[in-house]
Amino acid sequence: QVRLVESGGRSVHTGGSLSLSCASSGRTFSNSVIGWFRQVSGQERQFVGGIRWSGSNADYAEFVKGRFTIFRDNAKDTVTLQMNGLTPDDTATYFCGLDLAARTIGRNWKQYTSWSQGTQVIVSS
């Protein structure tokens, strides 16, 4: 069983930046996908972006393009979600998920089988 551990985030004012990192304690493959999702109470998890564990082929939701970047940090063996230009609409609990044998970078949270504990990100105006 792969365990994902998330770190970073918390709170910032509008226009600020935060980063979240996702580390895996178990076995992953170069084609495995780490997806970043966010969730607001009462709603389904929403795709933010994803990347191959190797660091290739990132994909983003339209509402974060140009503001958020996902990259692999080889030195730390983590995948990082760098969030810039944050607005109160970005306030949510953020999760990273793992699709171990992914064919594509899926935008449906049900495709992912392991999840991090989640981090609440608060953006105040």
Side-chain angles (χ1 to χ4, degrees):
Q1 181 75 24
V2 176
R3 181 166 170 257
L4 300 180
V5 178
E6 188 181 339
S7 60
R10 295 305 177 190
S11 64
V12 71
H13 289 292
T14 296
S17 298
L18 287 173
S19 67
L20 302 175
S21 290
C22 182
S24 169
S25 65
R27 183 182 182 186
T28 55
F29 303 100
S30 60
N31 281 338
S32 298
V33 167
I34 292 291
W36 285 97
F37 288 76
R38 66 188 189 186
Q39 188 170 25
V40 175
S41 180
Q43 298 182 17
E44 282 205 341
R45 290 185 183 184
Q46 180 184 38
F47 177 76
V48 173
I51 194 170
R52 296 283 181 185
W53 184 252
S54 64
S56 64
N57 301 115
D59 185 32
Y60 300 91
E62 284 299 319
F63 59 84
V64 303
K65 283 185 178 178
R67 299 190 300 130
F68 292 10
T69 304
I70 300 172
F71 61 91
R72 173 165 171 76
D73 188 329
N74 289 321
K76 297 180 181 178
D77 200 22
T78 59
V79 170
T80 296
L81 171 66
Q82 176 65 43
M83 302 182 287
N84 300 325
L86 287 162
T87 74
D89 287 342
D90 295 314
T91 295
T93 300
Y94 284 71
F95 299 87
C96 61
L98 172 69
D99 183 354
L100 193 59
R103 293 186 177 184
T104 61
I105 298 175
R107 297 186 171 213
N108 188 332
W109 65 269
K110 296 177 183 179
Q111 184 172 329
Y112 296 78
T113 54
S114 298
W115 291 96
S116 64
Q117 76 279 20
T119 298
Q120 189 173 19
V121 169
I122 300 171
V123 184
S124 57
S125 57

